[in-house]
Amino acid sequence: MKQHRLAAAVALVSLVLAGCDSQTSVELKTPAQKASYGIGLNMGKSLAQEGMDDLDSKAVAQGIEDAVGKKEQKLKDEELVEAFAALQKRAEERMAKMSEESAAAGKKFLEENGKKPGITTTASGLQYEVVKKADGAQPKPTDVVTVHYTGKLTNGTVFDSSVERGSPIDLPVSGVIPGWVEGLQLMHVGEKYKLYIPSDLAYGAQSPSPAIPANSVLVFDLELLAIKDPAKEDAAAK
């Protein structure tokens, strides 16, 4: 978490905190009021994810009041820099701990999952289960395929799903995470697989979304619907 990001988050939240107290009922009728509430809600969630759950709302309100009123600030810049650095360090330590715990939990999950009937583990560590067999063609790394999928964490939480959106997607076999690249080439058109992807074949420590913790094992229900024909695609484009 960067210092400027933390400062901006605190400033945005303070705009909401400064205008209300426990005795005030906030109206949420106009678009501006609703948007204001949304800013506070989203930033509050973001700060909670960063471990910022012990902010002093009165101090936050005082800071914004002093800035808007052009009053003399009550802390020197050096003190503020030191405080932000302390919070940044705390957040980094928290994230490192969560990352370690996620990696350990993922390793344990794969060890136990690999012992179940019907689960195959490849040399890379990818695990898969054939849910529905078919005799269609198998895609190559250079192919573009049409798939339906649902992505979950090991606890069953869904983080993405073309099925829920009601629309399959086209994607290049070589342009996805390593676990998908390998898994797709094992499949035949018409088949459904369940992929259990180790974090090093997914996103590793660099999560693309707060919905996916760092070092997470990902579980995908994947259906290979078709392999796109480049010749037909080119003809249709002319």
Side-chain angles (χ1 to χ4, degrees):
M1 178 171 57
K2 301 300 183 183
Q3 180 177 321
H4 69 273
R5 177 184 171 190
L6 177 60
V10 172
L12 280 171
V13 172
S14 69
L15 290 173
V16 178
L17 294 177
C20 62
D21 56 43
S22 59
Q23 303 300 318
T24 302
S25 177
V26 179
E27 290 191 353
L28 301 174
K29 296 180 180 179
T30 70
Q33 290 171 333
K34 293 177 180 179
S36 298
Y37 176 75
I39 290 173
L41 188 65
N42 290 336
M43 294 311 303
K45 290 179 180 179
S46 177
L47 288 169
Q49 291 174 346
E50 297 283 3
M52 293 289 296
D53 52 5
D54 59 351
L55 286 179
D56 186 325
S57 61
K58 292 182 180 179
V60 172
Q62 184 65 62
I64 195 68
E65 181 180 338
D66 288 350
V68 172
K70 297 182 180 180
K71 300 177 182 178
E72 181 178 355
Q73 62 188 58
K74 293 177 173 56
L75 295 174
K76 297 179 180 179
D77 287 343
E78 293 80 4
E79 294 178 281
L80 295 175
V81 169
E82 183 179 352
F84 280 121
L87 292 183
Q88 180 176 338
K89 180 180 179 182
R90 186 184 71 176
E92 290 173 347
E93 291 173 346
R94 176 177 177 270
M95 293 305 295
K97 181 180 179 181
M98 290 176 61
S99 181
E100 291 176 2
E101 291 175 348
S102 181
K107 181 180 180 181
K108 181 179 179 181
F109 173 85
L110 290 170
E111 288 176 350
E112 296 177 352
N113 191 64
K115 300 174 183 177
K116 296 179 180 178
I119 303 295
T120 299
T121 303
T122 70
S124 69
L126 174 69
Q127 295 181 352
Y128 69 91
E129 178 183 0
V130 180
V131 178
K132 174 186 175 184
K133 289 188 65 65
D135 298 321
Q138 288 180 286
K140 304 182 295 296
T142 55
D143 285 332
V144 173
V145 296
T146 303
V147 301
H148 247 326
Y149 69 91
T150 296
K152 306 175 184 178
L153 304 179
T154 56
N155 64 6
T157 300
V158 175
F159 59 82
D160 191 16
S161 175
S162 68
V163 176
E164 290 184 358
R165 291 191 295 272
S167 178
I169 65 168
D170 295 340
L171 52 83
V173 173
S174 60
V176 287
I177 58 175
W180 268 50
V181 173
E182 181 179 357
L184 283 168
Q185 293 179 77
L186 296 172
M187 300 178 70
H188 297 79
V189 172
E191 287 189 327
K192 293 182 180 181
Y193 272 35
K194 185 179 285 290
L195 302 179
Y196 304 88
I197 304 180
S199 63
D200 60 341
L201 298 179
Y203 298 109
Q206 303 300 318
S207 171
S209 164
I212 303 176
N215 290 327
S216 290
V217 171
L218 304 183
V219 181
F220 284 95
D221 294 308
L222 181 61
E223 180 179 10
L224 179 56
L225 299 173
I227 299 174
K228 307 289 283 188
D229 189 331
K232 291 183 179 179
E233 293 293 312
D234 291 341
K238 295 179 179 179

